[in-house]
Amino acid sequence: MNCPYCSSENFKVLESRDSLDSIRRRRECDKCGKRFTTYEKIAIDLMVIKKDGRKEPFSTDKLRKGISLALEKRPFTADNVDEIVKSIERELKKLKSHEVSSKIIGDRVIRKLKAIDHVAYMRFASVYKDFEKVDDFKEELKILAK
Ligand SMILES: [Zn+2]
């Protein structure tokens, strides 16, 4: 990376702020003293292996959508959703793997939701686990009641 004004490669970072999928850094060039902002994308280089064996690139949007749906009309804000998405992404990065099964991701979402809201947890679990029988639901409720 070079300073857009003088092409120097040396700068100070004045401020850096994380957003969901990028890091914004305010920089000051050591040579000419001008300031500029850079955005670094935090790409998650991850393939998700689905239940049927197909693979698709990990999608933050998809993860966020699933969690938002589960938390719909519950007392949570978009920031809460982002927090959960971020923490799951952090955990996935820690796996240091290029492939992860959709089950591992789903299990993590379920664990987070369970910790914050039982209704959201049940909603997500019912979709995610493909509950076919009412009995499955009852089993989950029993686990929750403990
Ligand atoms: Zn410069």
Side-chain angles (χ1 to χ4, degrees):
M1 189 193 306
N2 299 88
C3 167
Y5 304 99
C6 72
S7 309
S8 159
E9 286 176 15
N10 304 307
F11 355 83
K12 282 194 277 290
V13 173
L14 303 172
E15 187 199 343
S16 88
R17 205 182 306 153
D18 276 26
S19 73
L20 196 62
D21 48 11
S22 66
I23 305 172
R24 174 187 183 275
R25 287 192 219 278
R26 193 77 189 130
R27 297 173 188 266
E28 186 181 281
C29 176
D30 275 349
K31 204 172 153 206
C32 71
K34 291 217 166 86
R35 292 179 176 186
F36 56 99
T37 306
T38 56
Y39 295 90
E40 287 157 52
K41 259 240 167 291
I42 312 170
I44 298 202
D45 182 19
L46 197 62
M47 289 303 282
V48 179
I49 306 164
K50 310 206 326 183
K51 238 195 293 183
D52 60 10
R54 279 184 300 140
K55 292 179 187 175
E56 62 177 35
F58 173 80
S59 157
T60 300
D61 284 345
K62 223 173 182 179
L63 180 63
R64 192 185 295 126
K65 205 178 268 175
I67 294 170
S68 312
L69 274 178
L71 289 178
E72 204 171 40
K73 300 210 176 98
R74 302 300 299 158
F76 296 94
T77 64
D79 282 349
N80 295 134
V81 174
D82 280 352
E83 262 317 303
I84 300 170
V85 171
K86 258 195 232 176
S87 74
I88 288 169
E89 285 189 339
R90 270 197 296 269
E91 288 176 15
L92 293 177
K93 273 185 206 165
K94 271 192 219 143
L95 297 176
K96 298 205 188 314
S97 166
H98 292 293
E99 289 187 347
V100 66
S101 71
S102 56
K103 185 179 182 316
I104 287 180
I105 299 175
D107 284 348
R108 274 157 210 266
V109 175
I110 283 181
R111 216 179 306 150
K112 303 255 180 236
L113 292 178
K114 200 172 180 177
I116 60 162
D117 189 82
H118 280 175
V119 173
Y121 158 69
M122 285 303 293
R123 278 186 195 155
F124 189 85
S126 66
V127 174
Y128 168 70
K129 289 186 172 171
D130 292 326
F131 289 171
E132 283 162 6
K133 297 168 299 193
V134 181
D135 283 351
D136 291 338
F137 253 114
K138 284 189 191 145
E139 275 309 306
E140 285 295 326
L141 286 169
K142 250 188 265 170
I143 296 167
L144 274 180
K146 274 177 196 158

